[in-house]
């Protein structure tokens, strides 16, 4: 990415990762590897700025901002239980959003697009750790096949746009993400924001802290503010259509029980702590390798999990009244 004038549009810019990118761009020293560069204009848009499911309103956004580069985060997202309930809605809405953004990015001649996938797009029956080249080698886990197929199509579209129009569209594959300014809606949230919210309410109301499932599944969690730096790196320094897994190391898998224990500690919760095994466990694991990332970026210092979790819990407690705790989205 050269130093000339560039307009970087971040779709989904008001969500977990979007907010983290804004935080990094505004707090890292200007001109530094992850800080704002001269000639850069960063624009963070959210649902209130325009409906990306609609071709005309997406076109209007491109006419308004005339982006040269895009970090495409906008999507209908949610945790396991919401994915299980709305498979068609996740498939259709995400396909509409992705098709509109990439179409107008090509029409407006954008120099680069980095789209956000997720390790849940991978086949369920696959050799671990996951690497960038086995995305399409089998069906995804049944719990989220709607979302997974829609996201896989982004990789397919990137390759097609490159072959037909020479576009420089690529993608990133994060593992489970957590951090400040997440979605804490108890029905739709991912496991960490859901449990932070539940533990907060249990402490406030003197009620039991109930965690779903058996606690056995394994996950890798990346802190949103670390992931933000990796998206900035991929936008500026990575030029290939092939995706990159953005994750902590493959040996940093932790169980859902470890996560719940860590939240109890971070929230200083002393009350009753129980399991609701009637709730689904979902995919047992999705262990991913970050070897490609580290070989390209030349090493990266990830924030220790407990420190990142404490910052996330403290942010929620301090912002409970304004945090996204529960509007119905679907
Ligand atoms: O983050 P999560 O919802 O999604 O984590 P996935 C689910 C795991 O946490 C399951 C347990 O093993 C659940 O049993 N869990 C326990 C809970 N209590 C809760 C709770 O209150 N809420 C939630 N949500 N989980 C998602 C995909 O899979 O990963 C999405 O469905 C996306 O499409 C996301 O890719 C990153 O990690 O299972």
């Amino acid at each position: 990415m050269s130093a000339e004038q560039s307009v970087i549009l971040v779709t989904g810019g008001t969500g977990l990762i979007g907010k983290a990118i804004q935080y990094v761009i505004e707090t890292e020293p200007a001109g530094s590897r992850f800080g704002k560069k001269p000639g850069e204009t960063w624009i963070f848009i959210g649902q209130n700025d325009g409906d990306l499911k609609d071709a005309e309103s997406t076109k209007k956004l491109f006419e308004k901002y005339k982006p040269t580069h895009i970090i495409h985060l906008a999507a209908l997202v949610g945790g396991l239980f919401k994915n299980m309930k709305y498979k068609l809605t996740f498939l259709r809405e995400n396909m509409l959003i992705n098709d509109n953004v990439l179409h107008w990015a090509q029409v407006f001649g954008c120099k680069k697009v980095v789209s956000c996938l997720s390790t849940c797009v991978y086949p369920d029956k696959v050799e671990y750790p996951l690497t960038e080249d086995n995305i399409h080698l089998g069906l995804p886990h049944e719990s989220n096949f709607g979302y997974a197929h829609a996201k896989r199509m982004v990789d397919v579209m990137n390759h097609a746009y490159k072959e037909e129009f020479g576009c420089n569209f690529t993608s990133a594959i994060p593992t489970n993400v957590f951090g400040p300014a997440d979605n804490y809606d108890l029905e739709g949230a991912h496991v960490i924001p859901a449990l932070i919210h539940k533990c907060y309410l249990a402490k406030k109301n003197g009620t039991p802290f109930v965690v779903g499932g058996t606690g056995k599944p394994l996950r890798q969690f990346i802190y949103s503010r670390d992931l933000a730096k990796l998206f900035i790196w991929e936008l500026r320094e990575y030029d290939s259509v092939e995706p990159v897994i953005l994750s902590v190391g493959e040996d940093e898998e932790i169980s859902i029980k470890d996560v719940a224990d860590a939240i109890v500690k971070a929230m200083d919760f002393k009350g009753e702590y129980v399991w609701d095994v009637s709730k689904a466990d979902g995919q047992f694991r999705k262990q991913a390798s970050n070897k490609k990332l580290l070989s390209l970026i030349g090493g990266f210092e990830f924030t220790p999990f407990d420190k990142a979790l404490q910052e996330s819990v403290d942010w929620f407690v301090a912002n409970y009244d304004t945090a996204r705790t529960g509007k119905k989205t679907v």
Side-chain angles (χ1 to χ4, degrees):
M1 203 168 137
S2 58
E4 70 203 41
Q5 298 303 312
S6 52
V7 176
I8 301 123
L9 182 69
V10 181
T11 72
T14 58
L16 170 68
I17 306 172
K19 285 279 185 203
I21 292 175
Q22 188 165 18
Y23 174 86
V24 168
I25 286 292
E26 290 172 357
T27 56
E28 288 286 313
S32 67
R33 191 174 195 186
F34 305 116
K36 189 171 178 303
K37 302 276 188 191
E40 287 183 348
T41 303
W42 286 77
I43 299 164
F44 297 86
I45 57 168
Q47 284 177 7
N48 303 341
D49 297 289
D51 178 3
L52 296 174
K53 297 189 294 300
D54 177 75
E56 264 320 295
S57 51
T58 307
K59 182 183 178 191
K60 286 202 178 70
L61 281 168
F62 276 77
E63 282 165 346
K64 179 176 178 184
Y65 295 113
K66 297 189 176 36
T68 58
H69 299 74
I70 298 176
I71 296 182
H72 174 38
L73 307 170
L76 175 63
V77 298
L80 170 65
F81 308 135
K82 186 174 169 184
N83 268 272
M84 291 169 72
K85 209 168 166 187
Y86 301 108
K87 289 175 183 167
L88 185 276
T89 306
F90 272 90
L91 177 62
R92 186 157 184 275
E93 295 203 5
N94 285 310
M95 286 211 294
L96 286 168
I97 292 169
N98 299 330
D99 183 49
N100 286 327
V101 169
L102 294 183
H103 170 67
W104 292 112
Q106 184 269 321
V107 171
F108 279 74
C110 290
K111 295 193 181 82
K112 179 92 173 265
V113 177
V114 179
S115 294
C116 184
L117 309 185
S118 167
T119 49
C120 78
V121 305
Y122 276 91
D124 184 35
K125 303 205 174 8
V126 70
E127 207 181 300
Y128 291 111
L130 305 169
T131 54
E132 284 78 2
D133 50 12
N134 52 16
I135 289 183
H136 302 286
L137 300 182
L139 292 175
H141 191 265
E142 49 81 29
S143 66
N144 55 33
F145 72 74
Y147 179 83
H149 281 301
K151 287 289 186 175
R152 283 186 186 190
M153 277 310 112
V154 171
D155 179 53
V156 174
M157 287 197 279
N158 287 344
H159 284 82
Y161 272 107
K162 181 176 178 59
E163 292 196 17
E164 187 168 340
F165 300 104
C167 296
N168 184 13
F169 297 172
T170 189
S171 62
I173 313 174
T175 49
N176 291 45
V177 192
F178 73 101
D182 206 335
N183 174 359
Y184 304 89
D185 163 35
L186 293 176
E187 190 205 312
H190 292 101
V191 61
I192 289 184
L195 295 184
I196 288 175
H197 190 178
K198 282 180 172 181
C199 195
Y200 175 88
L201 293 174
K203 187 174 180 181
K204 192 160 76 109
N205 306 330
T207 50
F209 171 45
V210 183
V211 184
T214 65
K216 294 196 176 75
L218 301 172
R219 298 286 184 270
Q220 285 155 287
F221 292 98
I222 186 167
Y223 190 31
S224 60
R225 292 178 175 175
D226 291 344
L227 179 60
K229 291 176 180 172
L230 300 177
F231 264 103
I232 293 166
W233 162 80
E234 187 163 347
L235 182 75
R236 290 181 176 152
E237 302 178 39
Y238 177 74
D239 274 321
S240 161
V241 67
E242 301 305 333
V244 187
I245 291 172
L246 303 182
S247 170
V248 295
E250 61 201 59
D251 52 359
E252 301 199 41
E253 282 182 300
I254 57 176
S255 73
I256 299 298
K257 179 166 183 329
D258 297 331
V259 171
D261 291 350
I263 289 170
V264 163
K265 185 161 167 271
M267 194 73 81
D268 193 26
F269 176 72
K270 302 273 187 275
E272 199 188 344
Y273 167 10
V274 295
W275 293 86
D276 174 0
V277 292
S278 72
K279 287 279 189 306
D281 268 345
Q283 200 165 7
F284 180 70
R285 69 189 310 198
K286 21 186 180 174
Q287 184 196 31
S289 163
N290 67 355
K291 283 198 175 53
K292 176 177 176 179
L293 166 68
L294 296 183
S295 70
L296 292 168
I297 199 172
F300 184 82
E301 203 185 319
F302 291 97
T303 308
F305 179 75
D306 289 340
K307 178 173 182 292
L309 188 67
Q310 190 66 60
E311 288 176 9
S312 305
V313 164
D314 295 349
W315 184 93
F316 181 73
V317 173
N319 295 280
Y320 179 71
D321 298 336
T322 53
R324 293 181 289 157
T325 54
K327 275 196 313 310
K328 285 280 161 281
T329 55
V330 174

